[in-house]
Amino acid sequence: MKVILSILLVCTLSACGPTPQKQTRAEITGTQTERVTRATAILAKYATLPGPLLDAHMAEDIADNSGGMVPGPSDSTLSGVITFPAADLPKWQKILAPQTSHVDSPSYGGHSPAPTWWPAAAAFKDCEYYEPKKLTGRTFGFVALSPSAAAIYFSTFSP
């Protein structure tokens, strides 16, 4: 009887091994006008935007950590690039203030490879950095404002 119980216990425990994370990406697509409309709606939940966006790209990557058994926590990243009229730069700086320390190596934080619209590392050279909560409602990650490109790059995550 002990042998049978031991075999059942070993079989049961071996079936509880980790399963791969299910990863999904939801990305804003469509025409420039459609992308701007959707991005504005998302960001307006967290911030009063100081002016219109000229273009927008955003993606949310989700890694389902439940392992297929019971529901569990998921990791989520929200990343994007938005551009705005250069004349609105002081308004954006005001709503994002105060600045934070420089991010040494800002990078795309998603679970999947960076989309084609994510900027190259050189785009971050003149950026000002801000806490992400005021723009995205998320605490972790970064918001980088490029005065020269009149653009904001962000990559945030929820643990």
Side-chain angles (χ1 to χ4, degrees):
M1 183 68 149
K2 287 184 179 182
V3 173
I4 294 173
L5 286 175
S6 296
I7 292 172
L8 285 174
L9 181 62
V10 168
C11 290
T12 302
L13 291 176
S14 65
C16 293
T19 58
Q21 289 181 334
K22 179 181 176 190
Q23 298 180 0
T24 58
R25 173 176 283 167
E27 188 170 346
I28 291 177
T29 58
T31 66
Q32 179 179 353
T33 302
E34 292 168 336
R35 291 190 313 269
V36 166
T37 300
R38 291 185 62 209
T40 299
I42 292 167
L43 296 175
K45 293 176 186 176
Y46 309 105
T48 301
L49 304 184
L53 301 180
L54 298 177
D55 201 357
H57 295 278
M58 291 174 65
E60 183 174 37
D61 291 331
I62 299 172
D64 178 359
N65 296 328
S66 67
M69 305 281 284
V70 296
S74 293
D75 295 328
S76 169
T77 63
L78 178 66
S79 302
V81 174
I82 57 175
T83 58
F84 53 86
D88 288 347
L89 177 64
K91 295 176 189 175
W92 280 100
Q93 290 168 318
K94 185 177 179 180
I95 70 154
L96 294 172
Q99 286 189 43
T100 62
S101 58
H102 177 79
V103 175
D104 289 330
S105 56
S107 60
Y108 183 76
H111 303 289
S112 302
T116 57
W117 47 258
W118 186 253
F124 295 93
K125 68 179 169 85
D126 75 333
C127 285
E128 302 168 356
Y129 292 88
Y130 299 88
E131 294 293 331
K133 189 158 184 114
K134 287 186 178 180
L135 182 65
T136 66
R138 296 175 185 218
T139 305
F140 303 105
F142 70 89
V143 168
L145 185 148
S146 172
S148 63
I152 296 174
Y153 316 120
F154 59 91
S155 190
T156 64
F157 62 95
S158 299

